[in-house]
Amino acid sequence: MARWEEVEVRPYQAAALTSWELSNARGLVVLPTGSGKTRLALAAMARRRCRTLCLVPTRVLLEQWRTVLGQLYRGPIGQYGDGTRAVEAVTVATFASAFHHMESLGNRFDLLVVDEAHHFGAGAGDEALELCTAPARIGLTATPPSGPLQRTRLEELIGPEVYRQSVADLVGEYLAPLQVVSLRLDLTSLERREYTQEVAVYQPVVHQFFRYSPRATWQEFQRAAVRTDEGRRALAAWRRSRKLVAFTEAKQAAVAQLLVELREARLLVFTGDNDTAYRVAREHCIMPITCDIGRAERSEALERFRTGDLAVLVSAQVLNEGIDVPDAEAAILVGGRLGTREYVQRVGRLLRPAPGKQAVVYELVTRDTHEVRESLRKRQGLGS
């Protein structure tokens, strides 16, 4: 193996590493975004000095991992993904490439590192981990699965949860101090009337289903609903109600006002869908970062954001997971689709510490709608 530079770790990272090693070098580490999960994995790799395969969900993370590995590992770094197939003693692969090529890759490594490990355990792509023969495994996530079936399956594939710290545990010392400001907004009379009409269509159907299946999940309700006309109407009404509150008149006014008040801050605006992201971008001349933006243009925009040439970015989902934006100081959460996991990931984009930094999140919540209940549940995901 090529030479590793010394990997310095913080006390909680050292504790996580010890817990992982005491679990026969198999297990899941749960740490907030910005707390150094990647560095923890690098320390594990440097300590074991064995052939290692690192799995990451996206091409952007593939490049990020190759970059940080190159800073500490003095040897060639293999890559499977983004048009390249090259195996080395330390190799980084996207989930998709690993899934398609694990039959030839799986028996070449002794340590498997799985970034954003919560993507596994639900069936999709699990075969890639099954075909890998690496006895040592470490999974990294800020948002572990909550369902017992997926947790059990993830334990089989990677190992048990060996260490956990929440945002509340680390904020202020190892993460930037955080303030979450919830702005409660009203619907107009027309918006309220339309919202109430949609709720009246889907709510009775939802209540009836969960009355007879109290332990069912929302996904199970959706699968059952599409089998009947009544269920399909309920789902359609539910989706329309979400769209109604995605970017209300009050949210539009709040975004405009906050952009003025926060004009000195490096700011991220998160929306629930691409249409809203583009609308914010057009109305306020902000650079959008969406799945439609090419990699070169996205990389250029992120670099301009880091240098201060761009002060604001707006995104629906692309910035949720993995992409490093350490200079962000404030965020406006206009809306979301993916629940607690998405919320924790978005807040985590602001938490990388810097001298004098105070991270502030402005959450736009519409009164007397589903957003109130969801906001309370999501904030519990921070561990506060």
Side-chain angles (χ1 to χ4, degrees):
M1 288 289 290
R3 182 170 61 88
W4 278 90
E5 299 292 328
E6 182 180 357
V7 183
E8 296 182 1
V9 293
R10 296 168 175 170
Y12 63 87
Q13 293 168 324
L17 186 57
T18 298
S19 296
W20 174 71
E21 290 182 321
L22 291 173
S23 184
N24 296 316
R26 289 179 66 93
L28 185 71
V29 175
V30 182
L31 287 173
T33 300
S35 62
K37 294 187 294 298
T38 302
R39 194 167 190 83
L40 167 66
L42 294 177
M45 295 163 66
R47 185 173 297 190
R48 298 191 76 83
R49 298 181 185 274
C50 61
R51 297 180 65 83
T52 302
L53 176 63
C54 305
L55 301 185
V56 300
T58 66
R59 292 179 299 175
V60 174
L61 278 172
L62 179 77
E63 187 58 35
Q64 285 186 189
W65 270 81
R66 283 177 50 82
T67 299
V68 295
L69 277 166
Q71 295 167 358
L72 294 166
Y73 176 67
R74 303 310 176 201
I77 300 169
Q79 174 177 327
Y80 251 70
D82 201 14
T84 299
R85 298 181 189 174
V87 178
E88 299 290 348
V90 173
T91 298
V92 187
T94 61
F95 291 171
S97 291
F99 181 79
H100 290 296
H101 300 286
M102 192 58 83
E103 287 188 2
S104 60
L105 287 174
N107 63 350
R108 300 188 182 193
F109 301 96
D110 304 301
L111 170 61
L112 179 66
V113 176
V114 185
D115 195 14
E116 308 294 352
H118 53 265
H119 287 281
F120 293 95
D126 287 358
E127 184 179 345
L129 304 192
E130 292 175 331
L131 291 175
C132 183
T133 61
R137 301 179 177 216
I138 183 168
L140 311 171
T141 182
T143 53
S146 56
L149 293 179
Q150 187 178 358
R151 286 202 309 268
T152 299
R153 181 65 174 139
L154 204 57
E155 182 171 340
E156 294 171 352
L157 295 168
I158 298 174
E161 183 178 308
V162 295
Y163 192 82
R164 178 191 289 250
Q165 292 276 27
S166 69
V167 169
D169 294 325
L170 301 179
V171 76
E173 183 175 5
Y174 296 108
L175 299 177
L178 172 67
Q179 181 183 10
V180 179
V181 180
S182 184
L183 301 179
R184 300 300 175 98
L185 308 173
D186 291 311
L187 295 171
T188 66
S189 57
L190 176 59
E191 290 170 339
R192 174 61 63 187
R193 183 164 60 252
E194 292 178 349
Y195 181 80
T196 301
Q197 290 172 349
E198 302 297 354
V199 171
V201 173
Y202 75 77
Q203 198 170 64
V205 180
V206 173
H207 285 174
Q208 182 179 24
F209 176 82
F210 284 103
R211 186 181 304 119
Y212 292 104
S213 304
R215 296 186 179 180
T217 65
W218 179 255
Q219 289 72 26
E220 288 171 329
F221 165 74
Q222 290 178 306
R223 287 195 291 269
V226 296
R227 299 171 186 163
T228 67
D229 290 340
E230 182 184 48
R232 287 190 289 270
R233 284 194 295 270
L235 280 178
W238 175 79
R239 294 189 186 100
R240 288 193 297 268
S241 73
R242 262 56 184 171
K243 189 173 182 178
L244 278 167
V245 299
F247 200 42
T248 63
E249 289 188 22
K251 286 186 177 182
Q252 296 170 46
V255 168
Q257 182 175 341
L258 287 170
L259 287 174
V260 173
E261 294 179 0
L262 302 172
R263 59 185 175 274
E264 300 299 325
R266 210 74 61 81
L267 178 65
L268 301 176
V269 181
F270 290 104
T271 66
D273 54 77
N274 282 350
D275 288 344
T276 304
Y278 287 128
R279 184 173 174 183
V280 172
R282 288 193 301 269
E283 291 179 0
H284 301 285
C285 296
I286 298 172
M287 177 66 195
I289 301 292
T290 71
C291 58
D292 301 323
I293 303 298
R295 183 174 55 169
E297 186 178 4
R298 181 171 60 195
S299 297
E300 180 184 357
L302 290 172
E303 181 59 29
R304 292 177 63 195
F305 183 79
R306 293 186 182 106
T307 61
D309 189 31
L310 286 177
V312 187
L313 297 175
V314 58
S315 176
Q317 287 184 266
V318 170
L319 293 180
N320 285 354
E321 187 174 85
I323 295 180
D324 196 8
V325 279
D327 300 292
E329 302 165 314
I332 304 173
L333 307 186
V334 179
R337 297 187 301 173
L338 304 180
T340 301
R341 173 169 293 152
E342 178 185 64
Y343 182 85
V344 172
Q345 289 169 341
R346 289 178 167 187
V347 171
R349 301 272 75 80
L350 306 182
L351 295 180
R352 297 193 187 277
K357 181 177 178 178
Q358 168 70 61
V360 184
V361 174
Y362 294 87
E363 181 186 16
L364 308 187
V365 180
T366 307
R367 287 191 182 95
D368 300 319
T369 70
H370 62 273
E371 289 189 335
V372 176
R373 180 178 63 257
E374 291 176 359
S375 172
L376 295 174
R377 185 180 70 250
K378 290 174 183 177
R379 291 181 67 166
Q380 291 174 351
L382 299 178
S384 57

